[in-house]
Amino acid sequence: MADGGNIPAGDFAVDLSNCDREPIHVLGAVQPFGFLIALTADWLVSRVSANSADHIGLSPEQMLGQPVSGIFNAEAVHSLRNRITLLRGPDAVERIFSLTLVDGIAPFDVAVHFSGSLVVIEAEPAAHDEMEASSMVRSMVSRLGQTEGMAAFLRDGARQVRALTGFDRVMVYRFADGGDGEVVAEALRPGIDSFFGLHYPASDIPAQARALYLRNIFRVIADVRAKPVPVVPQLDPSGAALDMSLCLTRAVSPIHIEYLGNMGVGASLSISIIVEGRLWGLFACHHYAPRLPSFAQRSAAELFGQIFSMMLENRERSETAAYEGKARQVADRLMSAVAQDHDLLSNARWLGDVIFDTIPADGVGVYIDGQMTFSGLTPDGPSFAAIVAMLNQAAASQVFTTDHLPGLMPEASAYADRAAGLLAIPLSRRPRDYVVLFRAEQLRSVRWAGSPEKHVEYGPNGPRLTPRKSFEEWSQLVRGTAVPFTAAELRVAEALRTALLEVVLRLSDSAHEERQKAHEKQELLIAELNHRVRNILSLIRGLLSQTRDNAQSVDQFIDTLESRVHALARAHDQITADRWAPARLYDLIEVEAAAYLGERRDRVKLTGPNVLLTPAAFTVLALVIHELLTNAAKYGALSDNGSVAIDWEVDGDGSLLLHWCESGGPAVVAPTRRGFGSTVIERSIPYDLGGRAEVNYRLSGVEAHFCIPSAHVASILPDVVGTERAKPAPAPTPTLLKGRNVLLVEDNMIIAMDGEDALRDLGAEVITAASVGRAREALAIHDVDLAVLDFNLGNETSLPVADLLAEKGVSFLFATGYGDGLDLPERFGDVTLLKKPYSGATLAQAIAPVLEEAEL
């Protein structure tokens, strides 16, 4: 149960609605990791949490009724006022990092929001977290976007939230229509039980808690056993309690505390997953000891949850669009066939063969002018006639469905094995004719996390519904119920109804018009889907550094920023095509020229060896080439009838020398001001790659010369530019590590996830640890056949793990970004070194000889 509360038994009878009526948004207390101050509209202190003296040295009695300017320093008050002006909407919350509230006291991380007319300020000691949230989330989102299939998408989301927050268990919990839910994905620390696939009753997360999850999408309980701190006073002079719906520090209901205690949980965290304005589910995180992620980590996790929700909505819409597009083709085929042969409409077998392609069912019955035909698993004639009589009581000309027919017609229990659920498609208004799809009873065992029934007993909080004491799996056999028809299937059924009705009424002209409308509806759906994708990309782009102070208008600013991001996206597509491997310089320039110039790209002449650049150099050079092409098209040779010659060579040191020369265009004049584009051209390569850049604005055309150091030149292939791209190396065999347990020790989340995927592609079962301590725990629990050790683990190295593996006789290799310069102890002088960054292929090449040596 989520944030239910303690309600005196005398108020009402104890039943399953108790938790639904608990006012969990006005508990009147905060968690002790922070403190709360509420201010009136004229910035007088109205409420204070009782632990204020622990944080700023002033008790509630010293602050209540006082102006906040006499408590916080002037700079802090100014910052708070400025941040409050940014609040938009009733549920907005703004954050300030490392703000000094009181002189002489360490800074705080602060959150501010409105609660009615009050300004609520929550503060906790600043964590001085140096993590770059936008960069972290951008990397997480990029990885998430590459997953294939919904199951992998949800599982990777759970893994990334766990990596970001450090919680022992992260579940993706999906709500069903009735409010109950199921754990559909999970990431957890080795050695703890899995909850994957378990169901929880609706009473575990009551209705008003689900409503609160829609308003406050992030919730953390840092220490389940911590004593809550009251807010003083509990009620204002009018007798109203403080609405704490949006409070980050809001305390926890006693019943929810007991619930978590029954599970052995020491801390929890939840992130709402909201799709199309409804609560789709939650990231539900558990830790078996107290845990409070830093303010920055929580902010990044909240942002990731919002982007995850948008990406999930996009995936669901994409799947629906593809499905409904196929269904539209079926509807058109059906309508065309029946228009030519009306007898097909009463041919149940033919209708079933056509419709079942898009709406799976076990049988179909057709009722036209009192005549019935059947195909597949269906009720008998009298039973079908009774069903039609029941359908006639429903609204006319509407698709009707149920997944539990015995609930509407008790006599249907006798044939539930053939027809427990139905979807009825009306063919006319009067008389009522139908095509009815039937689904048979779906016997299934629901795996509940403990019995879904709760019992009234006297607990520590009085007579009430006590949370279930057992979370062992408990099964329930569901009878008389079919697999429900989905919302998308209902929309398809509605389309079929429209198509069949047109044929029945023989309105050929109207049928053509309706098809046109249906096509426009499909185009609108595709356009909306595209709009959603662009929204997600826009949000991600908003995390990038902004291009400022150089645009003469808003439209120019937007166009310039979007073109630059698209240039990076094109470069990213090329290097991710080979799993972030080095890519060809020729391809970079060709793709950018084609995107910018189209068929005119032959005005860009390319000459040079077939050079492969590292991903870092590739993305930097992509933006430089983009800016050069932009300037040439606007002001230089490509704005007229001129051309651009780009040639490159590799010098004796292995560095790449690239030359840009414009000719045949208008006379060139050096720019009078230096914009962002000029800065990118002249500074990106020196700043990001340690190279050199020289730009000359000659009257005959711009000339530019660049030097990319040899460290960024991956290789020089023997073939010449313009030939077909070399085929990628064959994928490593997926059986290399089959049946083997591999320990991966890596402290960087993104690298760890890539390593896990690469090892799993080779057939391994992977155990991941981010520190020496976690690695020792994993080795104590699991039998390990091989280990891949990141040498540098932040403030420590993996040498202690290597010593332990050597004692156990387990083979291992070191992964390092130091290359051959890594200084290993003499005892590990023969250990294989795997250079970062590595791909699945290079990982397999490094592991194969290690395995061969171990088997000798």
Side-chain angles (χ1 to χ4, degrees):
M1 189 198 72
D3 275 7
N6 179 22
I7 305 171
D11 288 355
F12 50 86
V14 180
D15 57 32
L16 277 173
S17 68
N18 273 24
C19 292
D20 280 340
R21 296 206 295 271
E22 166 66 3
I24 59 175
H25 62 296
V26 291
L27 289 175
V30 299
Q31 300 180 59
F33 66 80
F35 71 98
L36 176 148
I37 295 179
L39 308 177
T40 62
D42 52 356
W43 285 65
L44 298 179
V45 178
S46 174
R47 285 186 173 89
V48 184
S49 61
N51 63 342
S52 59
D54 297 337
H55 292 278
I56 59 174
L58 296 174
S59 67
E61 292 75 16
Q62 294 174 286
M63 290 190 287
L64 288 172
Q66 300 299 314
V68 74
S69 58
I71 299 170
F72 295 161
N73 63 44
E75 183 177 347
V77 173
H78 177 72
S79 297
L80 290 170
R81 287 184 180 275
N82 283 346
R83 194 53 59 98
I84 287 172
T85 62
L86 300 178
L87 291 171
R88 295 291 184 271
D91 296 336
V93 178
E94 284 291 330
R95 297 169 173 82
I96 309 174
F97 293 89
S98 295
L99 179 64
T100 299
L101 296 175
V102 179
D103 294 333
I105 296 179
F108 293 86
D109 291 330
V110 179
V112 293
H113 70 273
F114 283 113
S115 178
S117 62
L118 298 178
V119 174
V120 177
I121 301 170
E122 298 174 273
E124 61 184 86
H128 302 292
D129 193 343
E130 298 298 331
M131 71 172 291
E132 173 51 55
S134 61
S135 175
M136 174 67 73
V137 173
R138 185 168 62 250
S139 298
M140 295 167 68
V141 169
S142 175
R143 177 183 176 81
L144 196 62
Q146 298 176 25
T147 58
E148 296 184 2
M150 186 62 74
F153 176 78
L154 298 175
R155 183 172 60 251
D156 205 60
R159 289 170 58 195
Q160 298 210 46
V161 171
R162 179 170 181 264
L164 181 59
T165 63
F167 274 67
D168 290 332
R169 179 197 311 280
V170 174
M171 299 171 284
V172 177
Y173 182 82
R174 181 172 188 174
F175 290 108
D177 291 338
D180 58 320
E182 178 186 0
V183 179
V184 295
E186 184 181 47
L188 66 163
R189 174 174 59 83
I192 63 176
D193 294 334
S194 172
F195 289 171
F196 177 72
L198 294 184
H199 292 249
Y200 291 82
S203 56
D204 274 19
I205 304 181
Q208 102 285 27
R210 294 195 296 273
L212 198 54
Y213 280 127
L214 275 172
R215 294 191 60 199
N216 191 349
I217 66 173
F218 191 90
R219 174 74 163 137
V220 65
I221 301 173
D223 186 352
V224 168
R225 296 169 182 80
K227 184 178 179 181
V229 178
V231 174
V232 181
Q234 289 285 305
L235 304 177
D236 66 12
S238 67
L242 177 64
D243 186 341
M244 303 181 68
S245 298
L246 303 180
C247 289
L248 306 182
T249 59
R250 175 165 51 89
V252 192
S253 157
I255 293 183
H256 188 50
I257 290 295
E258 185 178 345
Y259 181 89
L260 293 173
N262 290 342
M263 300 179 74
V265 172
S268 75
L269 182 150
S270 64
I271 308 170
S272 302
I273 302 173
I274 300 173
V275 174
E276 295 184 335
R278 61 181 175 85
L279 186 62
W280 184 96
L282 300 169
F283 284 108
C285 311
H286 290 163
H287 203 69
Y288 292 95
R291 181 170 184 81
L292 178 64
S294 71
F295 208 61
Q297 287 176 315
R298 281 143 51 198
S299 298
E302 181 177 352
L303 176 59
F304 175 76
Q306 291 175 301
I307 300 178
F308 179 90
S309 296
M310 297 177 68
M311 296 179 72
L312 174 61
E313 180 174 332
N314 172 51
R315 285 186 176 236
E316 289 191 341
R317 282 180 174 269
S318 179
E319 291 176 356
T320 299
Y323 169 73
E324 292 187 0
K326 176 184 175 183
R328 177 58 56 191
Q329 296 175 358
V330 172
D332 288 345
R333 186 171 80 246
L334 184 150
M335 186 167 57
S336 176
V338 175
Q340 298 177 35
D341 184 359
H342 292 182
D343 292 338
L344 288 175
L345 195 59
S346 58
N347 187 331
R349 181 180 297 277
W350 180 83
L351 279 174
D353 290 343
V354 175
I355 296 175
F356 291 173
D357 281 346
T358 54
I359 308 178
D362 299 306
V364 60
V366 180
Y367 184 95
I368 296 179
D369 295 332
Q371 300 298 314
M372 295 177 285
T373 57
F374 303 95
S375 178
L377 297 178
T378 65
D380 57 22
S383 299
F384 188 43
I387 291 173
V388 170
M390 182 272 294
L391 292 174
N392 285 339
Q393 301 172 32
S397 298
Q398 290 187 0
V399 172
F400 177 85
T401 184
T402 178
D403 61 351
H404 186 52
L405 187 57
L408 301 175
M409 303 173 58
E411 63 270 24
S413 299
Y415 50 82
D417 59 329
R418 289 167 287 153
L422 63 81
L423 172 64
I425 304 174
L427 301 180
S428 59
R429 293 181 180 272
R430 188 179 296 114
R432 297 284 186 88
D433 297 329
Y434 298 94
V435 172
V436 183
L437 307 180
F438 292 102
R439 284 182 177 173
E441 178 182 56
Q442 180 75 18
L443 290 176
R444 59 194 179 98
S445 179
V446 179
R447 298 168 58 238
W448 295 96
S451 171
E453 302 298 329
K454 294 184 178 182
H455 304 285
V456 176
E457 58 184 57
Y458 282 82
N461 299 292
R464 47 137 181 91
L465 290 172
T466 296
R468 287 172 283 113
K469 300 294 185 183
S470 171
F471 288 86
E472 298 297 324
E473 179 184 322
W474 187 89
S475 297
Q476 179 185 35
L477 192 63
V478 179
R479 294 182 176 274
T481 301
V483 175
F485 292 90
T486 66
E489 289 169 344
L490 293 178
R491 289 194 293 271
V492 171
E494 180 61 33
L496 292 174
R497 182 197 70 80
T498 301
L500 292 172
L501 184 60
E502 291 171 354
V503 175
V504 172
L505 298 177
R506 301 180 181 183
L507 299 176
S508 300
D509 293 339
S510 298
H512 175 75
E513 182 179 348
E514 189 67 23
R515 280 197 300 271
Q516 184 64 30
K517 290 180 180 179
H519 177 73
E520 292 173 358
K521 182 179 179 181
Q522 182 179 354
E523 290 296 321
L524 181 62
L525 180 63
I526 294 173
E528 185 178 358
L529 173 63
N530 188 45
H531 174 69
R532 290 287 180 175
V533 174
R534 289 182 181 276
N535 280 348
I536 294 172
L537 294 177
S538 295
L539 179 59
I540 298 173
R541 286 200 302 269
L543 302 177
L544 303 174
S545 299
Q546 298 297 302
T547 303
R548 298 179 298 180
D549 302 331
N550 296 302
Q552 297 178 355
S553 68
V554 173
D555 290 339
Q556 181 185 353
F557 172 80
I558 294 173
D559 291 342
T560 303
L561 178 59
E562 286 188 342
S563 69
R564 288 164 179 160
V565 173
H566 285 316
L568 289 176
R570 288 190 292 271
H572 185 269
D573 287 342
Q574 294 178 70
I575 54 180
T576 54
D578 289 330
R579 299 179 64 90
W580 207 252
R584 300 201 313 172
L585 170 63
Y586 179 84
D587 292 337
L588 182 156
I589 303 174
E590 271 286 287
V591 169
E592 190 61 37
Y596 205 96
L597 301 174
E599 295 181 357
R600 296 181 298 136
R601 68 179 182 273
D602 58 352
R603 292 169 61 187
V604 179
K605 310 297 183 182
L606 308 181
T607 309
N610 197 359
V611 173
L612 269 65
L613 298 177
T614 63
F618 199 89
T619 53
V620 170
L621 195 56
L623 196 53
V624 172
I625 295 295
H626 172 79
E627 295 297 336
L628 285 167
L629 283 170
T630 300
N631 290 343
K634 287 183 178 180
Y635 317 111
L638 299 180
S639 68
D640 201 344
N641 296 318
S643 62
V644 176
I646 307 175
D647 61 85
W648 60 90
E649 59 185 313
V650 178
D651 66 10
D653 295 331
S655 298
L656 174 67
L657 305 179
L658 187 144
H659 311 285
W660 171 284
C661 183
E662 299 181 24
S663 61
V668 172
V669 178
T672 56
R673 66 183 184 90
R674 187 175 304 277
F676 179 79
S678 300
T679 302
V680 167
I681 295 170
E682 297 177 13
R683 296 193 58 192
S684 291
I685 291 176
Y687 188 88
D688 292 327
L689 306 179
R692 298 191 305 276
E694 177 185 341
V695 182
N696 298 312
Y697 297 94
R698 305 190 186 283
L699 190 63
S700 58
V702 173
E703 291 185 7
H705 306 279
F706 305 97
C707 174
I708 291 88
S710 58
H712 301 288
V713 179
S715 60
I716 306 171
L717 300 182
D719 55 329
V720 296
V721 297
T723 60
E724 292 296 323
R725 189 169 185 172
K727 295 183 178 180
T733 172
T735 60
L736 179 64
L737 296 175
K738 185 175 182 181
R740 300 178 189 266
N741 292 334
V742 178
L743 172 64
L744 174 63
V745 181
E746 172 61 63
D747 65 331
N748 182 282
M749 178 186 70
I750 302 300
I751 297 176
M753 290 182 177
D754 285 338
E756 289 172 358
D757 290 342
L759 290 168
R760 289 194 181 100
D761 288 343
L762 298 175
E765 294 291 331
V766 185
I767 305 111
T768 307
S771 65
V772 171
R774 290 296 189 189
R776 285 172 171 163
E777 292 178 9
L779 289 171
I781 297 173
H782 302 279
D783 292 329
V784 173
D785 303 305
L786 179 71
V788 178
L789 309 180
D790 177 17
F791 183 80
N792 191 338
L793 300 175
N795 297 326
E796 57 185 352
T797 71
S798 59
L799 287 176
V801 183
D803 288 327
L804 184 57
L805 291 167
E807 292 177 9
K808 292 176 173 286
V810 177
S811 299
F812 61 90
L813 53 87
F814 287 114
T816 176
Y818 293 116
D820 296 328
L822 182 64
D823 186 15
L824 285 173
E826 184 177 350
R827 63 185 184 278
F828 296 133
D830 296 331
V831 174
T832 299
L833 293 182
L834 177 63
K835 299 178 183 178
K836 294 182 179 179
Y838 55 82
S839 64
T842 56
L843 180 62
Q845 293 171 1
I847 287 176
V850 175
L851 293 178
E852 292 176 2
E853 183 178 346
E855 292 172 356
L856 293 179

